[in-house]
Amino acid sequence: MKKRIALAALFISVSLFAQNKIQIIDSIVNSKIEDNDPGLMIGIVKDGTIIYEKYRGLAYLPYQMKMDQKTKSNIASIAKQYTALMILDLALKDQVSLEDDIRTYLPTLYKKVEEKIKIRHVLNHTSGIRDYVELMSLQNKVWWKQVGLKNDDIIDLLEKQEDLAFKPGSQYTYSNSGYNILAEIIERVSGQKFTDYSKQFFRDLGMKETLFIERYAGVIPYRAEPYADWGDGVWLQTPTVTKTAGEGFLYTTLKDQLLFEQAIQNANQDNNILLIKSQQSILNSEIKTYGFGLELDNFLDRKAVHHSGATGGYNSQMVRFLDEKLTIFAMSNNGNISTNMITKEIARALLPEIKQNDQYNSRLFETIGSTKEPQILGQYHSKSGYLTRIVKEEGKTYFRQGQNLRIELIPEAKNKFHLDYDSKSKLVFYDREMALFEPSGEIFIYKRSSTPPASYADLEALVGSYESSELDMSFELRLTEENKLLVSSSNRKGELDVEVFNRNELLASNFIMKVQRDQFDRVTDILLSLGRAKNNRFKKKTNLKFQPKIKTEDGSIQVTTIGSRNGDASDILLTKNYPNGNEIWSKQFGGNSYDKASSILATEDGYLIIGSTSSYGNGNYDMFVIKTDKKGKKLWQNTYGNFYNEYGYSADKTDSGYLIKGTIQNCTSNTDVFNRTCTTNVWFVSIDENGKELSNQILEQT
């Protein structure tokens, strides 16, 4: 009797809830599309009961077929929760471990990566595996135009990747590729095709109308086709010619999704361990805001589990408000509307407004009374290394990232601003960093960049060709007469302007480029990022050299090696040149044997020439450094080294003088040249302003 009374009370409360709100929800849904537009399906589950189910618009425009309970639509990335659920199910059955390295099952992937790439890393996008969508964009391929694109093609693309975007577990970057990999793991473990395995899995969940796409041209009964008007008011159908699975392309009915939401809400009372654990963060995970294919952070300031999906004209949104035991599910084949915004509007209508007290990190209030004039403009790096610029444009201060993100900063105090779109987001500047304070208590630190601006020598050093065997493409950087850097790609027409932020960071359109150098400061690689495909390595194939030239206001200074006519000696030549390259004056240095120049460094009072010599010193070749004044007059010279070969390649200015970078050789015998073994290591020599050696250090073997 008590159970019946409880059920009756639940029915009454749910009915009252629905009756009081149903007209409001109907008006929201009806306001988004007309009856003859591509459609929208909305469902709401409260306390384990479906309280709202709405179908509006058309599933198929040519025959004016309306959306209804039979309609199957693509929910895109919301599919990830089901792929993750299958992995979790296998883990609970001890058929896999979330701590397993993915290469236990897919040994052809990332053979050169030493760190473990754990299944749990892939589940919550902390693996460093790059998104295939952006990788294909780098190749100038539009992924959704690739007829018949399937998981095998994505695995083939990833097999060419030698490294990851970042160390597993160190960052979060959303990656569709990871869920294609999880689908492959499910195939290897189950011994079945993923589509077959998942179909039975859905049947076991009671979701008989839900399936991953099997053939891009295959017929799915009652399928809604995707549409958008591309801004001109004429509906166009977006073709679906790919058949990837695991990361998306899950066709389902609203009814199936609501049945699953009921099971989720009733999981605790049914003691369904699989569903209970699937809504939690992943054990041992470095992040807690993404779990088993689900976002775990707040939604409209409420504790929630949620996810969205979008591909072509399809889009969807699911949000589970945990404390309220309320789920809203929206799915659509209309690319002109946002199921995310519609879901938020419905949620605000159903739930009372939460008035939360701000919970700023206490550090914010320690800065308000600061009277010190702060340094605000400049470049900053986030924890993940992403470059942010604080710039002044037309008298206003802006927070800038990449090419498009531009947020005005509204001043509140000398060192305190808020963001133009949210007065509660506070940005505070300190001596060496800035901090973004959110009312939730979150704080994001950006360290002021110490990277120097790019010099003319830096720009010249960037010139050359760069190649990626992983992506089968290359690009070339060139410098114009006006010292403008341009980039051209092997798979794109034309050139792009390159914005040079500093000597290590560049931007061309949406392509972020980070310069990599060897121990001798030579440019060896550029890490190219586009969206979710970060840090793709392009190796420099041309102009890999030391810097023998310095641009000056009235021309240039250049150092070269010149040989004798009979080949038994060489000298170092220092020249001062006009802008057109013609020589103004020259100075020659060296002895009776071989003297070679590698690079030149400008100093406040002259120049430092770095090279090697067999004319002077203690052995075969010694590191050789010459200091001159601005007119090329030699002030001093010195050698560094022992019996074998030591070479000087480049130099950096230090507080105490200079750091000379080169190599040092060591052999097992001085006399037995046929049987001895020799090794060459990187060698740094610290000297003072007058060339006196202060210390030296042998680094790794070259």
Side-chain angles (χ1 to χ4, degrees):
M1 178 64 70
K2 289 182 179 179
K3 185 175 181 180
R4 289 181 181 175
I5 292 172
L7 288 173
L10 173 64
F11 177 77
I12 291 170
S13 66
V14 169
S15 297
L16 289 173
F17 181 92
Q19 290 170 4
N20 293 337
K21 302 293 185 179
I22 193 167
Q23 289 184 338
I24 297 174
I25 303 169
D26 271 342
S27 66
I28 292 172
V29 175
N30 293 337
S31 70
K32 303 307 173 186
I33 60 171
E34 300 296 331
D35 284 335
N36 293 327
D37 289 339
L40 172 64
M41 298 180 274
I42 302 286
I44 301 173
V45 178
K46 170 69 175 167
D47 296 320
T49 300
I50 300 172
I51 64 168
Y52 186 84
E53 193 174 343
K54 176 81 170 182
Y55 302 86
R56 182 167 172 82
L58 303 177
Y60 188 57
L61 295 188
Y63 291 99
Q64 299 287 286
M65 293 176 58
K66 292 186 177 298
M67 289 275 194
D68 60 28
Q69 288 190 350
K70 292 182 179 180
T71 302
K72 294 184 180 73
S73 192
N74 181 354
I75 58 172
S77 285
I78 293 182
K80 288 181 173 66
Q81 67 173 323
Y82 296 109
T83 303
L85 192 65
M86 294 176 216
I87 288 287
L88 177 59
D89 183 53
L90 292 173
L92 292 175
K93 294 174 180 176
D94 292 325
Q95 293 181 261
V96 301
S97 168
L98 302 187
E99 299 296 323
D100 285 344
D101 193 309
I102 62 171
R103 292 164 296 187
T104 303
Y105 309 96
L106 300 170
T108 58
L109 292 178
Y110 304 104
K111 293 180 179 180
K112 294 185 179 181
V113 175
E114 296 180 0
E115 296 88 357
K116 288 188 72 173
I117 312 171
K118 299 178 181 180
I119 289 177
R120 64 174 174 85
H121 290 142
V122 180
L123 283 164
N124 64 9
H125 305 293
T126 60
S127 66
I129 294 170
R130 301 178 179 96
D131 193 311
Y132 76 85
V133 172
E134 308 287 12
L135 286 175
M136 295 183 76
S137 292
L138 280 171
Q139 295 176 320
N140 203 22
K141 297 177 181 178
V142 180
W143 70 273
W144 56 268
K145 291 183 178 180
Q146 308 307 307
V147 177
L149 179 71
K150 56 187 181 298
N151 280 17
D152 288 347
D153 299 318
I154 294 168
I155 297 299
D156 288 344
L157 177 63
L158 298 179
E159 282 177 339
K160 295 180 180 180
Q161 295 276 297
E162 296 183 358
D163 60 6
L164 300 167
F166 50 81
K167 182 179 177 181
S170 66
Q171 295 182 38
Y172 168 92
T173 296
Y174 191 90
S175 173
N176 285 294
S177 306
Y179 275 75
N180 301 113
I181 287 174
L182 293 176
E184 290 297 303
I185 291 175
I186 291 168
E187 282 199 357
R188 303 293 173 93
V189 173
S190 68
Q192 300 179 53
K193 286 180 61 177
F194 175 71
T195 48
D196 293 337
Y197 181 87
S198 61
K199 193 178 293 183
Q200 183 59 52
F201 190 83
F202 287 123
R203 287 197 185 103
D204 293 342
L205 290 172
M207 303 168 67
K208 297 179 181 179
E209 303 301 324
T210 300
L211 72 160
F212 280 101
I213 191 170
E214 297 182 58
R215 301 179 65 181
Y216 78 86
V219 174
I220 298 176
Y222 305 106
R223 183 171 88 168
E225 296 298 332
Y227 301 95
D229 71 2
W230 303 94
D232 62 2
V234 178
W235 290 115
L236 296 175
Q237 182 175 328
T238 305
T240 304
V241 298
T242 62
K243 58 172 183 175
T244 61
E247 89 289 26
F249 290 97
L250 182 66
Y251 286 84
T252 184
T253 62
L254 177 61
K255 179 64 74 176
D256 266 12
Q257 292 306 307
L258 297 181
L259 289 173
F260 183 69
E261 295 306 325
Q262 286 181 287
I264 291 290
Q265 289 190 5
N266 294 327
N268 283 318
Q269 66 187 52
D270 294 340
N271 197 30
N272 190 324
I273 302 301
L274 174 63
L275 296 187
I276 291 170
K277 287 186 176 293
S278 72
Q279 305 305 294
Q280 300 170 356
S281 61
I282 301 172
L283 190 65
N284 300 324
S285 176
E286 292 82 1
I287 68 163
K288 303 298 180 185
T289 54
Y290 197 100
F292 292 98
L294 295 164
E295 295 183 64
L296 306 178
D297 51 353
N298 287 357
F299 194 96
L300 295 180
D301 296 324
R302 283 178 164 82
K303 187 178 179 182
V305 171
H306 56 98
H307 212 286
S308 61
T311 181
Y314 295 118
N315 64 107
S316 55
Q317 178 70 54
M318 176 276 297
V319 57
R320 300 171 186 139
F321 294 104
L322 303 183
D323 293 338
E324 293 81 4
K325 210 172 179 182
L326 172 73
T327 297
I328 304 171
F329 198 103
M331 50 198 293
S332 173
N333 64 334
N334 188 324
N336 287 10
I337 61 176
S338 167
T339 47
N340 176 275
M341 298 305 295
I342 293 169
T343 300
K344 287 180 177 177
E345 192 172 344
I346 292 172
R348 290 189 181 100
L350 293 178
L351 299 170
E353 183 181 356
I354 292 180
K355 293 185 178 180
Q356 289 187 329
N357 295 325
D358 295 338
Q359 300 175 338
Y360 289 108
N361 185 288
S362 60
R363 190 180 175 194
L364 172 66
F365 306 102
E366 297 169 3
T367 66
I368 291 178
S370 175
T371 57
K372 184 178 179 181
E373 193 69 34
Q375 184 179 355
I376 293 173
L377 304 183
Q379 299 177 357
Y380 299 81
H381 286 103
S382 64
K383 183 180 179 181
S384 62
Y386 198 80
L387 180 68
T388 297
R389 295 108 62 205
I390 304 299
V391 300
K392 203 91 170 180
E393 296 175 359
E394 298 179 352
K396 296 180 179 180
T397 306
Y398 291 94
F399 177 106
R400 298 212 61 177
Q401 287 182 346
Q403 184 183 49
N404 299 319
L405 183 60
R406 181 174 179 264
I407 303 169
E408 185 181 353
L409 301 181
I410 310 301
E412 294 185 0
K414 287 184 178 180
N415 67 329
K416 183 165 167 273
F417 296 75
H418 70 254
L419 308 186
D420 60 358
Y421 66 87
D422 185 357
S423 62
K424 291 192 173 185
S425 294
K426 313 291 187 182
L427 195 63
V428 181
F429 292 87
Y430 303 90
D431 287 341
R432 299 182 180 276
E433 65 186 26
M434 66 179 180
L436 179 63
F437 294 88
E438 296 292 355
S440 64
E442 287 185 290
I443 178 172
F444 302 94
I445 303 297
Y446 301 79
K447 298 290 184 182
R448 179 175 285 276
S449 174
S450 58
T451 307
S455 65
Y456 174 76
D458 291 326
L459 296 179
E460 276 204 322
L462 289 168
V463 171
S465 297
Y466 299 80
E467 185 177 283
S468 168
S469 58
E470 300 173 19
L471 296 171
D472 298 321
M473 61 172 291
S474 62
F475 66 83
E476 185 165 348
L477 289 170
R478 75 176 182 91
L479 199 60
T480 68
E481 292 182 357
E482 296 78 24
N483 298 332
K484 181 71 176 177
L485 203 61
L486 300 175
V487 62
S488 58
S489 172
S490 62
N491 55 17
R492 286 176 171 81
K493 294 181 179 179
E495 291 180 302
L496 294 174
D497 291 337
V498 178
E499 190 172 356
V500 181
F501 296 132
N502 54 58
R503 73 189 304 262
N504 289 337
E505 293 171 284
L506 319 171
L507 180 69
S509 184
N510 291 321
F511 300 98
I512 299 169
M513 294 182 275
K514 294 183 179 179
V515 180
Q516 303 287 292
R517 291 180 167 82
D518 63 13
Q519 300 97 326
F520 312 113
D521 210 34
R522 295 183 301 176
V523 176
T524 57
D525 306 85
I526 285 181
L527 301 183
L528 184 66
S529 296
L530 177 65
R532 297 166 179 168
K534 295 181 178 179
N535 299 326
N536 296 272
R537 186 174 299 277
F538 284 75
K539 293 187 175 295
K540 192 171 187 183
K541 293 298 180 182
T542 61
N543 296 344
L544 185 62
K545 61 184 180 182
F546 299 102
Q547 189 49 250
K549 186 178 180 181
I550 299 171
K551 187 176 183 181
T552 62
E553 291 182 359
D554 55 351
S556 64
I557 290 285
Q558 188 166 359
V559 66
T560 55
T561 301
I562 56 172
S564 66
R565 290 185 177 180
N566 56 16
D568 58 1
S570 62
D571 285 329
I572 294 170
L573 181 68
L574 179 68
T575 59
K576 168 77 172 180
N577 311 300
Y578 288 111
N580 63 5
N582 292 338
E583 184 180 301
I584 300 174
W585 53 254
S586 66
K587 302 289 181 179
Q588 194 166 323
F589 309 98
N592 297 321
S593 190
Y594 293 97
D595 303 283
K596 302 176 180 179
S598 295
S599 64
I600 186 169
L601 177 72
T603 67
E604 290 184 3
D605 57 349
Y607 305 100
L608 201 70
I609 300 170
I610 303 94
S612 53
T613 179
S614 63
S615 299
Y616 313 101
N618 298 321
N620 297 310
Y621 273 101
D622 276 7
M623 185 182 285
F624 192 28
V625 177
I626 304 168
K627 178 68 185 298
T628 76
D629 64 14
K630 291 286 187 180
K631 295 183 178 181
K633 179 182 178 181
K634 183 170 69 176
L635 302 178
W636 55 259
Q637 70 178 41
N638 208 352
T639 62
Y640 312 92
N642 299 314
F643 180 77
Y644 300 109
N645 294 316
E646 290 80 34
Y647 298 96
Y649 294 133
S650 62
D652 291 331
K653 185 74 178 71
T654 66
D655 293 338
S656 57
Y658 307 98
L659 183 66
I660 313 301
K661 300 177 179 181
T663 58
I664 186 170
Q665 185 185 54
N666 187 42
C667 300
T668 55
S669 171
N670 292 349
T671 56
D672 190 358
V673 295
F674 297 105
N675 297 308
R676 71 184 184 184
T677 300
C678 296
T679 59
T680 300
N681 293 276
V682 175
W683 192 41
F684 287 2
V685 180
S686 179
I687 64 175
D688 67 13
E689 294 281 357
N690 298 312
K692 180 182 177 181
E693 182 176 335
L694 302 176
S695 63
N696 68 77
Q697 181 182 13
I698 296 177
L699 305 178
E700 75 274 10
Q701 185 173 323
T702 60

